[in-house]
Amino acid sequence: DHRDLHSFPTRRSSDLRRLMQSRDGQTLMQALTRPDNGVGLQRAVQAAMRGDTNVMAELVGRVAQSPEGAALMERISRSVEL
C-alpha cells in the first residue's frame, strides 16, 4: 500500500524517538559515548551522513561484545521493527 511507504519516514522517526527516550535507549547512548566522551559517536554519525555506516556498525559492535551490551542490543532489536 502506497500509504505505508509514504508514512515510513515518520514512523521510523517516531520509533527512533521512542527508543531514545526509553531506558534501553539511554543505556545505549551512555555505552556509545562513555569511552571517549562522545567523540567516536560524533565521527560515526558524520560518516553515516556521508553514506559510510561501517564506523557506526563498528561502534555498536563494540558495545555488543560484552554480555550486558549483547543483552541490551537484543532487547532493543526486539523492541523495534526492522
Side-chain angles (χ1 to χ4, degrees), residues 39-67:
V39 173
L41 180 58
Q42 287 177 343
R43 282 193 199 120
V45 168
Q46 289 169 352
M49 290 173 61
R50 291 189 308 271
D52 179 5
T53 57
N54 293 328
V55 181
M56 184 65 75
E58 183 180 313
L59 190 61
V60 171
R62 277 189 242 139
V63 170
Q65 286 178 350
S66 74

Side-chain angles (χ1 to χ4, degrees), residues 19-52:
L19 169 63
M20 296 318 299
Q21 291 171 347
S22 73
R23 181 178 302 215
D24 282 341
Q26 293 295 311
T27 302
L28 176 60
M29 287 305 295
Q30 289 172 356
L32 292 172
T33 58
R34 186 177 313 120
D36 59 5
N37 293 319
V39 173
L41 180 58
Q42 287 177 343
R43 282 193 199 120
V45 168
Q46 289 169 352
M49 290 173 61
R50 291 189 308 271
D52 179 5

Side-chain angles (χ1 to χ4, degrees), residues 1-14:
D1 186 328
H2 73 284
R3 287 174 296 180
D4 290 339
L5 292 175
H6 182 69
S7 66
F8 182 77
T10 305
R11 282 185 301 165
R12 300 308 288 161
S13 180
S14 65

